[in-house]
């Protein structure tokens, strides 16, 4: 492995060892939020949802579930 590279590990639910974290996030837009987590944190987009289904992302041993919530009152 070259300096500056990070070892890529494979994670699964349930984990064979250690722990996993499932995080439910309420967002304004699934695709926009998924792309943000993908670009900024390197999350892997597993699903952008389909119709009313939530989106799913993986970031190491964190599994993020993105669902659209109510709009903020103004």
């Amino acid at each position: 492995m070259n300096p500056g590279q990070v070892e890529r590990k494979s994670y699964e639910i349930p984990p064979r060892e250690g722990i996993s974290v499932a995080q439910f996030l309420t967002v304004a837009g699934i695709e926009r939020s998924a792309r943000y987590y993908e670009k900024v944190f390197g999350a892997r987009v597993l699903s952008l949802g389909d119709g009313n289904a939530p989106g799913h992302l993986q970031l190491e041993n964190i599994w993020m579930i993105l669902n659209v919530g109510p709009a903020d009152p103004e």
Side-chain angles (χ1 to χ4, degrees):
M1 188 163 29
N2 295 329
Q5 282 187 318
V6 177
E7 180 184 353
R8 298 288 293 181
K9 295 183 179 179
S10 177
Y11 295 94
E12 56 190 28
I13 290 182
R16 293 179 191 211
E17 60 182 50
I19 65 168
S20 285
V21 175
Q23 179 69 46
F24 185 86
L25 301 169
T26 303
V27 298
I30 292 174
E31 184 170 359
R32 181 175 177 215
S33 297
R35 297 301 173 207
Y36 170 80
Y37 286 103
E38 179 182 46
K39 182 177 181 179
V40 175
F41 298 104
R44 184 170 60 134
V45 177
L46 303 174
S47 165
L48 291 175
D50 184 18
N52 293 326
H56 295 86
L57 288 82
Q58 177 189 4
L59 178 59
E60 302 297 335
N61 68 331
I62 300 170
W63 303 83
M64 296 186 287
I65 303 160
L66 306 178
N67 204 4
V68 176
D72 291 332
E74 293 187 27

